[in-house]
Amino acid sequence: MTDLVRFRLAGFLRTGRALAPFLAGLLALGILYGGGRAQPAEAYGVSAVVLFPVLAWQTKILLDVEPDVQRRLTLVAVGAAREQAAGLVAAVVAGLGLVMIALVFPWLVGGVTGPSLPGDRSIPAGVALGLWAHLLALPAAVVLGALASRAITRSAGYGVAVLTLGAVGALVLGFSGSVAPWLAPPLLPTARALVGPLSGSTALLLTAWALVWAAVVLTGYARARTRRA
């Protein structure tokens, strides 16, 4: 499966499809950090929210690079489970690259600042929490992008609709006072949690929430792919 993952990533990079989400991510981060400086944890919490639709879009692009005929041949050669897993792993690897850029970018443009008050988090703690916030957003973004891929939606229009509704829904349902916050990944709840002190129980709850949500959607994706194979 490693060779298949490399093949997917090579196609994504070689065709130049990686450039669009990369530039979109830089643009989103530039706008975010252009408004002033913030503590690392708070800034990274918002950064994870902002990058969520970009990561989902990147996943869709990566999965759509492979022609339909080639994907069917791969299904026959390695089986449905390995073919699906290779695409998702490749999307995660590509997403990790964008996450690393998101962690480094604010330091290059002066968008973050160190602790200024006695109770403020240290820079290493803020960066660690920022990495955690982005890693919570990544699985949800990958499975949303997978649901919007051509293998599921069969058309570009439906794919854009799924991607847009998923991204907007994740934000709307994450607002404070939402009647059904569990229908969306914990993007905004995580960002809010990073503004102040974060307890271990809250961190565990948010982590479990993100993983369970991604697992449920991933199950739906796998079943849909099996039916459409």
Side-chain angles (χ1 to χ4, degrees):
M1 191 176 74
T2 301
D3 291 338
L4 189 54
V5 171
R6 291 176 179 172
F7 178 77
R8 290 285 185 88
L9 289 172
F12 181 56
L13 296 171
R14 186 176 59 251
T15 59
R17 305 290 179 85
L19 186 60
F22 171 74
L23 293 177
L26 288 183
L27 177 61
L29 293 172
I31 294 173
L32 171 63
Y33 292 110
R37 306 176 73 187
Q39 296 287 321
E42 180 179 352
Y44 285 137
V46 179
S47 170
V49 175
V50 170
L51 281 185
F52 175 76
V54 180
L55 289 167
W57 181 41
Q58 178 175 263
T59 297
K60 172 176 168 51
I61 293 175
L62 187 150
L63 295 179
D64 287 350
V65 167
E66 188 177 36
D68 292 336
V69 174
Q70 183 174 299
R71 184 176 64 251
R72 295 189 185 100
L73 291 174
T74 304
L75 279 170
V76 174
V78 303
R82 294 182 67 186
E83 188 274 335
Q84 294 172 22
L88 294 173
V89 170
V92 169
V93 172
L96 287 174
L98 196 54
V99 166
M100 292 301 104
I101 292 173
L103 294 178
V104 173
F105 184 87
W107 300 99
L108 300 178
V109 298
V112 289
T113 182
S116 57
L117 298 174
D120 290 342
R121 294 186 181 97
S122 66
I123 290 178
V127 172
L129 288 173
L131 176 61
W132 169 72
H134 284 85
L135 292 180
L136 287 192
L138 180 58
V142 167
V143 295
L144 174 59
L147 278 181
S149 65
R150 189 176 65 250
I152 298 295
T153 61
R154 302 299 192 191
S155 73
Y158 288 138
V160 171
V162 170
L163 198 64
T164 303
L165 289 175
V168 173
L171 296 179
V172 172
L173 292 172
F175 290 151
S176 297
S178 171
V179 295
W182 45 271
L183 288 176
L187 302 175
L188 291 179
T190 300
R192 288 193 295 267
L194 292 181
V195 174
L198 178 66
S199 65
S201 59
T202 299
L204 288 174
L205 175 62
L206 291 171
T207 301
W209 180 354
L211 293 177
V212 169
W213 190 92
V216 170
V217 179
L218 179 61
T219 301
Y221 166 73
R223 290 179 177 176
R225 282 293 310 273
T226 300
R227 290 197 301 269
R228 296 174 186 272

